[in-house]
């Protein structure tokens, strides 16, 4: 009776094979991975269920994880693309739980250097999740090649993985600076962003190198808005640390100010945020940044209004007088449908408002 | 002024979640070990987040020191979380990418049943968008092209057709070789 009821419920609720999954049942089903001929149509749903169960917070013991990990490695026999990619996900998910995960190193290295482009990027990311400092040297040659690969997905995957790996093996990753340098010139927006992120991470303790990097990149006008946001942050950090760079006509400050006229809203906001948060910014220098934020206050997008009013709220602490120019816009936001925006608008007005506006 | 300058780092995303209309987790990932280290804490946060957001369609909220941007459709809620000082527009671009990718994978049929039916592809898409807190790709077109590995004209899940096609191609090849 009970099982009948459950069947009926499953029929009503499509895809409910995922509801009330039991870890033990899934692990049992995962035994089909061991069958001699791999059937992707049967194995993919089982592997999906396993990953779903882990995502739901089921915890596997080291033994359970190791057993299922080894069963999963058998799936490398199949050439089915979805199954292969799900195996990569499984490797990443279990790499911290199972023992002896390095067993898949050669399979992954093969995929990473193989012809199939859809595998390569994902294989790199999976490979780096099972690699430790000593093994990284063994795959160093492939990593360097992948960073400058023509396929942007491969290049991005290698750069991102390098950054993750730099926690374990900073000295090895440091040697890849030339490749990262080359990737910064990429036409692909994400590759450029990832390359800059890695490059900065490698060089951040070397002040001279960072200044050189910034000087070069601010002139070259990066294509990626994400990379520009990153560059603004680096530049702002330089300005904050360095009093000498802070003269009235600092090229760094001019760069950030020029970004207020960028075509991407993301960059414009990043620049305005940096300017108002710099210690050295004078009231006069604040004006263009504030007028941008004022403009955002009237945006149709809630996120943009939120970002603007939150930043104005910060400015109101240090430069209340400068924010009074935006008081009218802030008053409009008091009745905003988003409560966070309304609250922020009120607290900002309390800091800037004179008696006259409180009356209204 | 108090330094709220943002740290130049690629690690911008703290978490991503897809919840159903009861606030239960369909898929979620947290990338910072310092926030919500256990599944129990994560789910408590998700419940709280859901309660605060499921009625008001307000796009953005600050909760537990995180900035969360969100979007919903029929019976699904999509969330992207970042630190409270993060550039909100960057978080939004990731959310839009997540939503648009899922929508394209499910052929505009963005609802729980469809997500569960293509759960493997949705998992792969999430993996292509953020890796360990770093945004890998924020362009839904390129995310989908990387994960919708089956031939585009064939509905996802109907591999048989693809297999027939494949074997037909193979046969042709053999007949040419003869």
């Amino acid at each position: 009776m009970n099982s009948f009821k459950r069947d009926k419920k499953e029929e009503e609720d499509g895809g409910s094979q995922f509801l009330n999954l039991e870890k033990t049942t899934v692990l049992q089903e995962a035994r089909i991975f061991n069958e001699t001929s791999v059937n992707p149509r049967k194995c993919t749903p089982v592997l999906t269920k396993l990953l779903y169960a882990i995502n739901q917070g089921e915890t596997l013991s080291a033994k359970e994880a190791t057993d299922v990990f080894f069963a999963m490695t058998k799936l490398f026999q199949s050439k089915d693309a979805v199954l292969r990619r799900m195996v990569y996900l499984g490797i990443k998910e279990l790499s911290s739980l199972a023992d002896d995960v390095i067993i898949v190193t050669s399979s992954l290295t093969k995929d990473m250097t193989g012809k199939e482009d859809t595998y390569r990027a994902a294989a790199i990311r999976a490979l780096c999740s099972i690699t430790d400092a000593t093994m990284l040297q063994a795959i160093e040659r492939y990593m360097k090649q992948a960073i400058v690969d023509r396929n942007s997905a491969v290049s991005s995957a290698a750069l991102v993985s390098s950054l993750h790996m730099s926690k374990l093996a900073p000295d090895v990753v440091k040697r890849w600076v030339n490749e990262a340098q080359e990737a910064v010139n990429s036409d692909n927006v994400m590759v450029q962003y990832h390359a800059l992120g890695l490059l900065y991470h490698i060089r951040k303790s070397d002040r001279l190198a960072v200044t050189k990097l910034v000087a070069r990149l601010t002139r070259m006008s990066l294509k990626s808005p994400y990379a520009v946001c990153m560059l603004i942050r680096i530049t702002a950090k330089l300005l904050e640390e360095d009093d000498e760079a802070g003269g009235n006509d600092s090229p760094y400050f001019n760069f950030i100010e020029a970004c207020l006229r960028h075509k991407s809203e993301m960059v414009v906001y990043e620049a305005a945020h940096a300017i108002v948060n710099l210690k050295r910014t004078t009231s006069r220098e604040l004006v263009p940044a504030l007028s941008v934020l004022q403009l955002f206050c009237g945006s149709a997008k809630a996120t943009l209004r939120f970002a603007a009013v939150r930043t104005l709220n910060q400015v109101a602490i240090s430069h209340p007088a400068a924010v009074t120019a935006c008081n009218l816009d802030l008053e409009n936001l008091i009745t905003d449908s988003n409560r966070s925006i309304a609250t922020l608008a009120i607290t900002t007005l309390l800091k800037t408002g004179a008696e006259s506006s409180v009356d209204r | 002024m108090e330094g709220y300058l943002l740290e130049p780092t690629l690690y911008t995303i703290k978490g991503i979640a897809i919840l159903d209309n009861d606030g239960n987790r369909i898929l979620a990932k947290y990338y910072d070990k310092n926030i919500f280290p256990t599944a129990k804490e994560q789910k408590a946060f998700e419940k709280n987040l859901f309660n605060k957001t499921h009625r008001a369609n307000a796009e953005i909220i600050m909760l537990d020191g995180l900035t969360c941007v969100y979007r919903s459709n029929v019976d699904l809620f999509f969330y992207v979380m970042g630190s409270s000082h993060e550039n909100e527009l960057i978080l939004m671009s990731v959310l839009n990418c997540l939503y648009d990718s899922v929508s394209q994978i499910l052929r505009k049929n963005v609802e729980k049943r469809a997500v569960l039916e293509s759960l493997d592809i949705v998992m792969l898409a999430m993996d292509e968008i953020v890796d360990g807190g770093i945004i890998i790709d924020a362009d839904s077109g390129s995310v989908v092209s990387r994960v919708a590995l089956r031939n585009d004209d064939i509905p996802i899940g109907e591999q048989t057709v693809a297999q027939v096609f494949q074997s037909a191609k193979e046969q042709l090849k053999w007949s040419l070789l003869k």
Side-chain angles (χ1 to χ4, degrees), chain B:
Chain B
M1 192 178 290
E2 277 308 309
Y4 283 116
L5 282 176
L6 296 161
E7 190 55 34
T9 168
L10 290 183
Y11 293 94
T12 40
I13 307 296
K14 301 279 182 202
I16 280 191
I18 303 177
L19 307 182
D20 70 7
N21 58 348
D22 296 316
N24 294 320
R25 173 191 289 190
I26 294 177
L27 286 173
K29 275 250 168 235
Y30 292 84
Y31 302 106
D32 188 339
K33 296 226 160 45
N34 300 317
I35 55 158
F36 318 124
T38 65
K40 204 177 153 204
E41 287 165 278
Q42 292 171 5
K43 291 206 168 169
F45 169 73
E46 281 159 27
K47 271 272 174 305
N48 192 7
L49 183 62
F50 178 76
N51 287 336
K52 292 232 159 43
T53 54
H54 77 284
R55 253 166 291 144
N57 203 0
E59 264 184 49
I60 187 161
I61 187 173
M62 276 174 103
L63 192 67
D64 290 352
L66 292 174
T67 301
C68 313
V69 291
Y70 61 98
R71 208 170 150 178
S72 65
N73 194 349
V74 195
D75 53 1
L76 287 174
F77 289 79
F78 297 81
Y79 298 89
V80 170
M81 284 79 82
S83 101
S84 58
H85 301 304
E86 191 47 67
N87 183 330
E88 293 87 346
L89 304 182
I90 294 183
L91 299 179
M92 202 54 174
S93 74
V94 175
L95 177 70
N96 287 337
C97 175
L98 174 70
Y99 184 90
D100 294 340
S101 305
V102 171
S103 164
Q104 284 173 49
I105 290 166
L106 306 177
R107 286 157 200 278
K108 304 238 162 87
N109 195 12
V110 185
E111 51 178 5
K112 183 179 174 184
R113 173 199 278 262
V115 166
L116 290 178
E117 273 166 12
S118 305
L119 196 64
D120 46 357
I121 308 290
V122 174
M123 278 178 178
L124 291 177
M126 272 173 79
D127 180 63
E128 287 291 340
I129 297 170
V130 180
D131 182 286
I134 299 179
I135 306 166
I136 296 200
D137 207 336
D139 173 38
S140 59
S142 94
V143 168
V144 171
S145 74
R146 286 192 216 173
V147 295
L149 306 155
R150 292 156 187 152
N151 192 324
D152 220 5
D153 299 324
I154 301 159
I156 289 160
E158 282 196 36
Q159 285 178 63
T160 43
V161 187
Q163 280 161 354
V164 170
F165 189 62
Q166 184 64 32
S167 67
K169 242 189 352 196
E170 226 122 82
Q171 266 172 15
L172 185 72
K173 204 162 69 188
W174 278 112
S175 64
L176 287 175
L177 280 173
K178 256 184 237 168

Side-chain angles (χ1 to χ4, degrees), chain A residues 12 18 41 52 55-56 85 92-93 125 164 194 226 233 237 269-270 276 303 310 318 338, chain B residues 1 11 25 28-29 43 58-60 84 86-88 93 113 116 127-128 131 135 138 146 160:
Chain A
E12 286 166 5
F18 294 110
R41 299 201 60 183
Y52 178 79
N55 195 275
Q56 289 295 315
R85 295 282 294 270
K92 280 199 272 191
E93 230 27 84
R125 294 195 281 125
H164 293 319
H194 297 140
Y226 296 94
R233 291 183 195 187
K237 208 175 157 90
Y269 170 63
E270 185 79 42
V276 304
T303 308
R310 189 178 63 102
S318 54
N338 183 318
Chain B
M1 192 178 290
Y11 293 94
R25 173 191 289 190
K29 275 250 168 235
K43 291 206 168 169
E59 264 184 49
I60 187 161
S84 58
E86 191 47 67
N87 183 330
E88 293 87 346
S93 74
R113 173 199 278 262
L116 290 178
D127 180 63
E128 287 291 340
D131 182 286
I135 306 166
R146 286 192 216 173
T160 43

Side-chain angles (χ1 to χ4, degrees), chain A residues 30-281:
Chain A
R31 285 186 191 156
I32 68 159
F33 297 168
N34 286 315
E35 282 172 12
T36 35
S37 70
V38 176
N39 182 346
R41 299 201 60 183
K42 279 190 195 150
C43 291
T44 311
V46 174
L47 186 50
T48 311
K49 272 194 223 172
L50 174 73
L51 292 178
Y52 178 79
I54 295 173
N55 195 275
Q56 289 295 315
E58 287 278 6
T59 46
L60 303 183
S61 70
K63 183 169 183 318
E64 286 167 336
T66 310
D67 286 351
V68 77
F69 187 87
F70 273 76
M72 210 169 61
T73 58
K74 306 251 169 44
L75 301 178
F76 268 104
Q77 292 167 45
S78 165
K79 288 215 160 31
D80 182 84
V82 176
L83 182 58
R84 179 66 60 92
R85 295 282 294 270
M86 291 304 280
V87 171
Y88 296 157
L89 269 196
I91 290 173
K92 280 199 272 191
E93 230 27 84
L94 294 172
S95 60
S96 53
L97 304 168
D99 302 322
D100 302 322
V101 289
I102 52 166
I103 189 120
V104 289
T105 307
S106 65
S107 305
L108 287 172
T109 321
K110 214 170 98 198
D111 283 354
M112 144 181 195
T113 51
K115 274 190 234 119
E116 195 72 60
D117 268 347
T118 47
Y119 293 171
R120 288 165 70 211
I124 291 171
R125 294 195 281 125
L127 181 60
C128 287
S129 74
I130 57 156
T131 304
D132 60 20
T134 47
M135 269 173 39
L136 189 61
Q137 291 182 344
I139 57 163
E140 180 169 6
R141 187 161 61 94
Y142 303 123
M143 287 301 288
K144 281 178 161 183
Q145 272 167 15
I147 289 176
V148 292
D149 198 279
R150 254 181 302 163
N151 183 313
S152 57
V154 172
S155 179
S156 272
L159 288 162
V160 168
S161 302
S162 307
L163 191 61
H164 293 319
M165 294 304 295
S166 67
K167 282 181 208 137
L168 293 172
D171 296 332
V172 182
V173 176
K174 255 187 198 140
R175 297 201 288 258
W176 307 347
V177 84
N178 287 332
E179 283 75 15
Q181 192 88 258
E182 198 179 323
V184 169
N185 299 324
S186 166
D187 284 334
N188 181 283
V189 290
M190 292 323 276
V191 173
Q192 193 169 63
Y193 171 58
H194 297 140
L196 175 58
L198 179 63
L199 213 49
Y200 175 73
H201 180 81
I202 293 174
R203 298 201 155 161
K204 66 182 171 194
S205 52
D206 177 356
R207 208 192 140 77
L208 187 67
V210 175
T211 21
K212 273 190 193 155
L213 181 70
V214 169
R216 188 165 71 88
L217 294 181
T218 46
R219 261 180 287 130
M220 140 182 166
S221 80
L222 299 166
K223 271 200 189 119
S224 159
Y226 296 94
V228 179
C229 286
M230 178 91 187
L231 190 57
I232 290 173
R233 291 183 195 187
I234 299 172
T235 316
K237 208 175 157 90
L238 280 180
L239 272 172
E240 200 73 338
E241 287 166 357
D242 192 359
D243 294 328
E244 293 160 46
N248 259 341
D249 240 354
S250 154
Y252 299 151
F253 191 84
N254 291 343
F255 165 72
I256 299 181
E257 200 172 27
C259 286
L260 289 173
R261 294 181 289 279
H262 198 276
K263 59 181 187 300
S264 159
E265 279 173 345
M266 188 193 286
V267 174
V268 174
Y269 170 63
E270 185 79 42
H273 186 273
I275 290 175
V276 304
N277 282 299
L278 278 168
K279 279 198 206 74
R280 60 179 293 278
T281 307

